[in-house]
Amino acid sequence: MIISFKGLNAKDNPFIWDNSSSGVKSNCLGLKFEDCHGTPINVTRLQDPIAITIPRDGAGDSPEPGNFTIEENTMKTHKLNIDDPTYAMNAVIQPSAVNCSHDFEIFLRKNKKPTTDTFDFNWTMSVPPKEAERRDSFSFSVSNYQLKKSASDTGEYYLGLYATLHEESKKDEKCRTELNYTLFTFVSSCNFWDEKEELWKASGCEVS
């Protein structure tokens, strides 16, 4: 079957008049699938989802960064409020000026502060000994579907960072007491315009 695909990117929300549009703050992308005869194709309940990548540039307000210091073998915890079940959680960690090699273990837990043994999600970021301007940032996210599996409702989440120095950095006292990083956190969501009900809806959308 030959499928025709058409897309339209609009900076303004064409359905701003409806109350359900309050959560739509990014550009709007229009998609249309047709067969070779121009007949619309039903894309509900597909075996594989349709993946759409949209740059965050200009999508609502930019997240405000926070600058933090963490000591070796201690947990630094940040409280996040996710008050909508359609939201996904996104974060970016940027190690700062100290030229030390270490690992950041990252933990996320619902309602309670995580420990290195008890958490809902975790990641590991290895930080090589580079200067600040050459540091690589580490991005991670938890989709709205994954958050829903970890808890049945919305609320408070705790993001914990645990620093472990590599052997070559343990003799440096500055490395032991001044591991600095910048943290960006923000939420994102997916909404589509239901032409029959004339509402913005989120059902069936997974944001990763």
Side-chain angles (χ1 to χ4, degrees):
M1 177 187 292
I2 299 176
I3 298 176
S4 173
F5 164 78
K6 296 179 181 178
L8 176 64
N9 184 24
K11 291 185 178 181
D12 298 318
N13 181 359
F15 307 108
I16 192 68
W17 45 267
D18 188 78
N19 291 335
S20 61
S21 68
S22 60
V24 180
K25 299 178 181 180
S26 67
N27 289 11
C28 294
L29 179 64
L31 299 175
K32 191 173 184 180
F33 297 90
E34 298 176 342
D35 62 19
C36 58
H37 303 292
T39 304
I41 296 175
N42 190 344
V43 294
T44 59
R45 299 181 181 179
L46 297 176
Q47 183 176 355
D48 297 312
I50 297 173
I52 303 170
T53 302
I54 303 175
R56 180 173 167 77
D57 295 344
D61 298 329
S62 298
E64 291 292 332
N67 300 306
F68 305 96
T69 298
I70 186 172
E71 295 184 9
E72 183 192 18
N73 298 330
T74 58
M75 179 81 75
K76 186 83 169 184
T77 306
H78 305 274
K79 182 180 176 181
L80 308 175
N81 289 310
I82 302 176
D83 54 7
D84 190 305
T86 67
Y87 287 168
M89 188 281 293
N90 307 266
V92 179
I93 294 175
Q94 173 72 58
S96 299
V98 178
N99 194 359
C100 304
S101 60
H102 58 284
D103 288 338
F104 272 142
E105 293 182 76
I106 306 161
F107 306 92
L108 183 69
R109 188 181 183 189
K110 165 77 173 181
N111 287 334
K112 296 182 180 179
K113 293 182 178 181
T115 68
T116 55
D117 297 317
T118 308
F119 50 84
D120 295 323
F121 304 92
N122 78 299
W123 305 264
T124 299
M125 175 187 182
S126 183
V127 184
K130 294 182 179 180
E131 297 296 337
E133 61 272 13
R134 297 172 55 202
R135 291 290 198 194
D136 297 322
S137 60
F138 180 73
S139 303
F140 57 97
S141 63
V142 183
S143 76
N144 52 321
Y145 276 26
Q146 290 173 311
L147 288 176
K148 188 176 291 187
K149 290 179 182 178
S150 69
S152 59
D153 57 355
T154 59
E156 298 175 351
Y157 287 82
Y158 292 87
L159 182 67
L161 277 76
Y162 188 88
T164 305
L165 287 171
H166 295 173
E167 286 298 324
E168 63 269 22
S169 296
K170 288 190 175 183
K171 295 180 181 180
D172 189 331
E173 185 62 27
K174 191 173 183 180
C175 290
R176 298 178 65 87
T177 59
E178 294 184 15
L179 295 176
N180 303 314
Y181 64 93
T182 299
L183 174 66
F184 298 82
T185 61
F186 58 94
V187 294
S188 55
S189 64
C190 168
N191 297 272
F192 69 93
W193 180 254
D194 187 310
E195 293 183 347
K196 291 184 178 180
E197 296 189 30
E198 294 191 336
L199 290 172
W200 283 102
K201 301 171 68 174
S203 57
C205 285
E206 180 174 5
V207 187
S208 59

